[in-house]
Amino acid sequence: MPREAYEVSEQGSDRAILVGIDRADSGGWTLDDDLAELQRLADTAGAVAVGSVTQRLERANPRTFIGSGKVDEVEGLAFETGANTVIFDDELTPSQQANLEGLLPRVRVIDRTQLILDIFALHAVSHEGKLQVELARLEYLLPRLRGMWGHLEAERLGGGRGARFGAGESQLEADRRLTRKRISELKRELKTVARTRETQRASRARSGVFRVALVGYTNAGKSTLLNALTEADVLVQDQLFATLDATTRRLDLPDGRAITLTDTVGFINKLPHGLVEAFKSTLDEVREADLLLHVVDASHPNAIAQAAAVKVVLEEIAASARPQLVVYNKSDVLPADEQSRLGSLPGSVVVSARARTGLDALLEKVAVIAAQSGASLRVLVPYQRGDLVELAHERAHVLSEEHTPAGTLLTLTAPPAVAARFAGLEADPSD
């Protein structure tokens, strides 16, 4: 097919061909699942999927990811549909991407990692989020820089025996130096931001506040749940990765204890490792939480595989051992018998954040877990130390309270940092 036969799409419109391979080691994901999610990612990035090409392979072709015949098929489909972008459902190696760009010069060739990075760049709002995304993008780009200067490589090769470096080589090396320099700057700046975040976390830890973090697959409804529980005003959209920045709000439990609830970036199958690395300071909120609420979209046909993908990321950030409560969300669209089945599973609760059902049961379970996390105390607090009584109600679980001539007699469970504030006030067993 002549290269000149391609029709250029209207400026500003992205028409994409999706490409995936069907392998045995899919981890519970079918090829249809993968491509459906890739289509949602493309939609989130502002592209319209106009076709797909698939191939069954045991392993990706080392040169072009798919076979040469399939590359021709992609070329033909792009011509027929007027597509200007081809998106591969896995991460391409730099050489695979360069080879594909040479074979498909009339379209933009990107992989799943670059697509997700593009989405993160669109949705990053905070200064820290923007730094994290830029770092991940540059680290992804660095080994791929040579392809950017292919038009100058020929000039270098034609420079004669005496020409050690041509314009292409000079530009390439300069670009690499600038990229490495910017990566170093970003890492230094993120370390400064991370120290500030660590100071904030340490302050919350010293206060004895029980810390809960929401984790889950992207679009599982974590932000909606945060809003429902805390009356927060966090952006909620029916898009993947609608919010990236961690948001922490205070939440009062039924027993009066105040805790913090933090919404974090959603996870996804085949989440790029570079993003996990870049977002580590944000994900520290997950690793250091006292309890994780794993929010699962119970209405999704691939809910089990999505939950497994979340567990993979939790293991990667060393947070899989944290206490967890599975929150099956979007139950309002499930039949009653499925709601009952999920609710009977150990360590789980069924809710609908949108319909605000099941939230009381969720809060009660969180309160029980929070109460079990501390030491049991029986203290006699002098009346002039009303601040300690207030602290007990805000930061601990008060089991009983009695006013005696000598002061307020409290029986409570409290985390170590709070329990230490009552040192020397232990009540006599006869009281």
Side-chain angles (χ1 to χ4, degrees), residues 86-143:
V86 177
I87 307 174
F88 286 77
D89 189 44
D90 288 89
E91 182 168 323
L92 300 172
T93 65
S95 61
Q96 285 173 336
Q97 187 158 359
N99 291 334
L100 286 164
E101 287 170 349
L103 294 169
L104 303 168
R106 302 290 182 176
V107 296
R108 178 187 181 216
V109 176
I110 66 174
D111 59 16
R112 182 186 180 92
T113 297
Q114 187 172 348
L115 179 62
I116 293 174
L117 289 171
D118 287 348
I119 293 170
F120 271 54
L122 288 171
H123 290 178
V125 175
S126 72
H127 177 60
E128 181 181 15
K130 291 177 179 178
L131 292 175
Q132 290 165 328
V133 173
E134 185 182 356
L135 174 61
R137 294 184 82 181
L138 288 179
E139 289 187 327
Y140 170 84
L141 179 64
L142 183 59

Side-chain angles (χ1 to χ4, degrees), residues 15-35:
R15 296 169 61 81
I17 303 296
L18 310 182
V19 181
I21 60 175
D22 190 4
R23 287 175 288 199
D25 57 340
S26 59
W29 294 80
T30 68
L31 181 58
D32 287 342
D33 292 333
D34 281 336
L35 291 184

Side-chain angles (χ1 to χ4, degrees), residues 139-207:
E139 289 187 327
Y140 170 84
L141 179 64
L142 183 59
R144 293 167 170 80
L145 285 177
R146 179 173 293 277
M148 297 176 63
W149 302 100
H151 63 292
L152 296 178
E153 182 68 8
E155 183 179 331
R156 181 187 73 82
L157 294 175
R161 293 185 179 182
R164 183 177 179 187
F165 295 109
E169 187 70 20
S170 300
Q171 179 63 64
L172 175 61
E173 290 306 317
D175 212 59
R176 283 175 172 166
R177 282 195 300 272
L178 289 172
T179 301
R180 292 192 185 101
K181 180 181 178 182
R182 181 57 182 160
I183 287 173
S184 297
E185 292 171 350
L186 288 167
K187 286 183 175 179
R188 283 195 299 270
E189 194 166 354
L190 279 169
K191 282 183 179 179
T192 301
V193 175
R195 282 195 293 268
T196 301
R197 185 181 286 276
E198 175 58 32
T199 299
Q200 294 170 344
R201 278 197 300 268
S203 176
R204 290 199 296 270
R206 286 194 301 271
S207 71

Side-chain angles (χ1 to χ4, degrees), residues 361-379:
L362 170 60
L363 291 176
E364 288 172 4
K365 289 196 174 187
V366 172
V368 170
I369 296 171
Q372 294 171 345
S373 68
S376 297
L377 300 173
R378 193 162 181 267
V379 294

